[in-house]
Structure formats: structure tokens, C-alpha cells
Amino acid sequence: KSPSPRQNMPVRYFIMKSSSLQNIDISQQKGIWSTTPSNEWKLNGAFWESSVVYLIFSVQGSGCFQGFARMDSAIGCEKSQDWGSAGFGGVFKVDWIRKESIPFQYAHHLLNPWNDSKKVQ
């Protein structure tokens, strides 16, 4: 098996905020996700320019992370009815690695150097 052409490229991480736990449940069941059109170019760019893109999910106001997944495809034009008409863009595949509620307090030692070294949450 030949090595991936992107193996020497950086790994990228994104915090994905969801408006509801139901969206997270749909994603975990179907292995898909959708984001707002304004985020699509950033995620697609990371997908094509990185060896792997990890998405860390959190429901707004929950005080927890709900797990993390790997982005498994670029974002396409096809939309999903799974989230209704909530203003989302195209659908892309995700591979859930861990499905677990983890309180933010367990990650307070993680700081984001690209966001004024604020806590990751």
C-alpha cells in the first residue's frame, strides 16, 4: 500500500459548536455532519491541506465536549434533511472516534495560541 500523499502535512483541529444534542446524535448515528456555509471554506481548505482534520464537538451551553471525530470527506453541495432547514450547507462524512461527555474543566489546561491563549472549550 502506497503512503498517503498528505502524510507529511499538518494535523488540524476544530471545535464544532452545535445548537442541540439531537444534531450530535444524528451525526453519530449516520456518520455525517453539516456546518454553516461560512465555515465550509475553512474546513474544506483544512481537509485538502492537512494529513487529518479532527472535529471536537460541543453543544452550546452544555459545558461539555460530546466527543470527537475525523473529517472523512470534503464538504459537498448535497444538503441533508436530517437537520431540517437550519441554514446548514453541504454534508460531509465524519468518522466518530470517541462518543463521551467530557466536562470543559478537564480540558482547562489546553490553551489556544491562535485565540489569545484562551481556554479550549
Side-chain angles (χ1 to χ4, degrees):
K1 182 175 175 183
S2 62
S4 166
R6 300 184 301 178
Q7 70 181 3
N8 294 323
M9 299 176 93
V11 174
R12 298 285 304 271
Y13 300 87
F14 292 90
I15 304 290
M16 306 302 293
K17 290 289 189 175
S18 176
S19 60
S20 74
L21 188 56
Q22 180 181 359
N23 292 347
I24 302 285
D25 290 339
I26 291 167
S27 176
Q28 290 176 340
Q29 291 168 11
K30 296 192 173 195
I32 59 172
W33 188 251
S34 185
T35 188
T36 59
S38 61
N39 289 333
E40 287 184 349
W41 69 270
K42 196 180 300 184
L43 287 173
N44 267 342
F47 181 77
W48 292 115
E49 297 169 3
S50 305
S51 60
V52 65
V53 176
Y54 291 109
L55 307 174
I56 304 161
F57 292 85
S58 176
V59 175
Q60 290 175 351
S62 70
C64 297
F65 296 111
Q66 277 70 40
F68 66 99
R70 179 179 48 250
M71 189 173 175
D72 268 356
S73 75
I75 302 169
C77 297
E78 183 180 332
K79 296 188 180 202
S80 173
Q81 296 305 310
D82 290 308
W83 288 283
S85 57
F88 293 120
V91 173
F92 60 99
K93 293 179 184 179
V94 295
D95 178 24
W96 279 85
I97 298 165
R98 182 102 183 211
K99 304 172 187 178
E100 184 175 348
S101 184
I102 302 165
F104 289 155
Q105 69 189 34
Y106 292 115
H108 277 176
H109 64 286
L110 300 175
L111 304 177
N112 184 347
W114 293 281
N115 189 19
D116 297 325
S117 293
K118 292 180 181 174
K119 294 175 186 170
V120 174
Q121 59 183 49

